[in-house]
Amino acid sequence: MQVHAAVLRDRAAPFALEHVELAAPEPGQVLVEIAGTGFCHTDVLPRQAGFLATPPLIAGHEGAGVVTEVGSSVGDIAVGDHVLLSFDSCGCCTNCALGNPAYCETFFQRNMTGKAQDGPGPVVDGAGHPVAARWFGQSSFASHVIAGTRNVVAVDHDLPLQLMGPLGCGIQTGAGSVLIALGVEAGSDVAVFGAGGVGLAAVMAARVAGAAMIVAVDLHDARLELAKELGATHVLRGGADDVAKQIRKLTRGGVQYALDTTGAPAVIATGIDALRPTGTIGLVGAGSRELVLAPSALATGKNVMGILEGDAVPHVFLPRLISLWRAGRFPFDKLIRTYPLSAINEAERDAASGVTIKPVLIPEGQ
Ligand SMILES: NC(=O)c1ccc[n+]([C@@H]2O[C@H](COP(=O)([O-])OP(=O)(O)OC[C@H]3O[C@@H](n4cnc5c(N)ncnc54)[C@H](O)[C@@H]3O)[C@@H](O)[C@H]2O)c1
Ligand SMILES: [Zn+2]
Ligand SMILES: [Zn+2]
């Protein structure tokens, strides 16, 4: 069927709205009409020279929509189901079997190349040339997508589906990092570096966990204001030389848990410095610059933990976040500003400049 999609034709080019041809779902796949899709910082990684995924590519990996067709062997997923799309995993490698699909042995091939695991992939352009359309098993910057049963989570019909997509990656990552990966305990102190979509989800989750002090650090005053509204007990402007010292003073010796969402080596080093002995810092920011540490930086029992997707199992964790949202304890919708899918380049600019925390793109006719 003919659908429309925002195609990245060149690493440096704006996204181009195009009509493309989408194949019918294969066994284990479903066709989803997208109601809304979040824009995550990871969607701009294919712009970096040498990155795994190469244009032409349809990015987008925080889709939400309605199942309109199913292939064979899709279990209990049915036409009409409202679904959130999350990351893909194989379901049978050791880490998947252990319940850690975010560390699936094929995570990078399935999620970060945009390529199908076998066969040509579901999309060709107007000239009949293939366009990579399996980014995070979905490529949701489109009116319709093919997704697999592993990365489709059915949700209740009364939810505002257009706004729910960001739960599938950025929001899940921030919240899962705090609630699952770091396992923040009630009464402990937490510092979150970077108050974007991921960092603010971490702040909300730290409040849910009952953390005593929640320190948010960012460069934008407006983001720090929102962090306070969402649960930060203290906010600090990043970039100053003494951020770690200020955090150690506030928390009488340092935080037990920190989360870096900036990927900046200097910020990570500050985060380590701000930990109390035995504290742990989680790293989720996509940084490519090297982190150089003296072994003594970790000598007091400090830990550094890389985290993908908040260690979450989407089929378990997304319904929990939705329950918290229903209870008014996880108001992630406050981060969202909607744009038509055709304004994707404006959304990208606004996310980069800091004007918008979490853009959500709405395809025409939704
Ligand atoms: N590991 C994962 O599974 C996963 C999942 C989703 C996103 N990510 C990555 O997480 C990162 C954050 O995503 P996001 O959507 O929240 O991005 P974002 O750009 O909205 O947020 C990053 C924030 O960091 C702040 N920042 C930058 N430099 C800083 C400094 N020196 N001190 C303090 N704050 C600083 C920015 O002002 C911004 O608010 C991205 O790199 C993204 O690719 C990782
Ligand atoms: Zn696997
Ligand atoms: Zn993401």
Side-chain angles (χ1 to χ4, degrees):
M1 68 188 280
Q2 204 180 58
V3 305
H4 63 273
V7 181
L8 187 70
R9 285 272 162 200
D10 181 280
R11 293 200 195 275
F15 293 98
L17 259 291
E18 295 184 20
H19 289 285
V20 296
E21 191 63 29
L22 183 66
E26 292 181 356
Q29 294 182 338
V30 299
L31 175 66
V32 178
E33 180 175 8
I34 296 293
T37 183
F39 189 105
C40 173
H41 185 87
T42 305
D43 289 313
V44 301
L45 296 183
R47 293 197 174 286
Q48 288 175 8
F51 188 77
L52 279 176
T54 53
L57 164 81
I58 302 169
H61 63 286
E62 294 183 343
V66 179
V67 175
T68 56
E69 195 180 332
V70 296
S72 58
S73 314
V74 292
D76 53 7
I77 299 173
V79 169
D81 279 356
H82 288 198
V83 292
L84 304 190
L85 307 182
S86 191
F87 65 89
D88 195 17
S89 57
C90 79
C92 47
C93 71
T94 305
N95 287 340
C96 281
L98 282 167
N100 292 317
Y103 305 100
C104 173
E105 286 163 17
T106 58
F107 183 90
F108 289 96
Q109 293 98 296
R110 284 174 184 274
N111 294 294
M112 311 285 256
T113 66
K115 301 224 163 61
Q117 292 303 290
D118 39 34
V123 168
V124 293
D125 65 14
H129 300 306
V131 176
R134 299 290 291 141
W135 175 252
F136 282 78
Q138 53 180 293
S139 288
S140 58
F141 290 162
S143 60
H144 299 74
V145 308
I146 292 290
T149 51
R150 293 277 306 167
N151 63 323
V152 161
V153 179
V155 296
D156 294 335
H157 283 230
D158 67 325
L159 294 167
L161 194 57
Q162 283 190 334
L163 304 183
M164 305 309 279
L167 288 173
C169 181
I171 304 295
Q172 160 175 273
T173 296
S177 294
V178 165
L179 295 173
I180 307 169
L182 292 170
V184 167
E185 302 109 345
S188 59
D189 296 332
V190 182
V192 177
F193 293 85
V198 176
L200 289 172
V203 165
M204 287 185 277
R207 177 161 72 176
V208 167
M213 281 198 200
I214 304 169
V215 186
V217 185
D218 202 286
L219 304 174
H220 293 283
D221 288 336
R223 292 189 173 200
L224 294 176
E225 276 311 305
L226 186 56
K228 275 198 240 170
E229 201 185 307
L230 296 175
T233 57
H234 301 79
V235 296
L236 296 173
R237 275 298 291 263
D241 288 343
D242 64 343
V243 169
K245 197 168 155 198
Q246 289 187 62
I247 294 174
R248 286 199 308 270
K249 192 167 168 207
L250 276 172
T251 56
R252 296 200 186 84
V255 287
Q256 186 69 37
Y257 302 104
L259 184 69
D260 175 73
T261 73
T262 72
V267 178
I268 296 167
T270 298
I272 292 170
D273 206 15
L275 292 174
R276 54 182 294 114
T278 77
T280 300
I281 184 168
L283 309 185
V284 296
S288 51
R289 279 180 294 143
E290 278 187 17
L291 173 65
V292 180
L293 290 176
S296 58
L298 301 174
T300 55
K302 294 182 182 181
N303 305 284
V304 179
M305 176 194 276
I307 304 171
L308 282 176
E309 299 291 341
D311 279 12
V313 178
H315 290 82
V316 177
F317 196 55
L318 297 185
R320 289 185 184 171
L321 292 180
I322 290 168
S323 296
L324 287 167
W325 175 78
R326 284 191 192 279
R329 298 174 65 198
F330 191 74
F332 72 94
D333 49 316
K334 289 196 173 161
L335 316 184
I336 290 174
R337 181 176 158 200
T338 60
Y339 298 75
L341 178 60
S342 56
I344 183 170
N345 294 302
E346 185 188 338
E348 180 182 8
R349 275 195 299 278
D350 288 354
S353 71
V355 170
T356 301
I357 296 174
K358 176 55 76 178
V360 166
L361 305 166
I362 313 286
E364 241 177 318
Q366 288 293 320

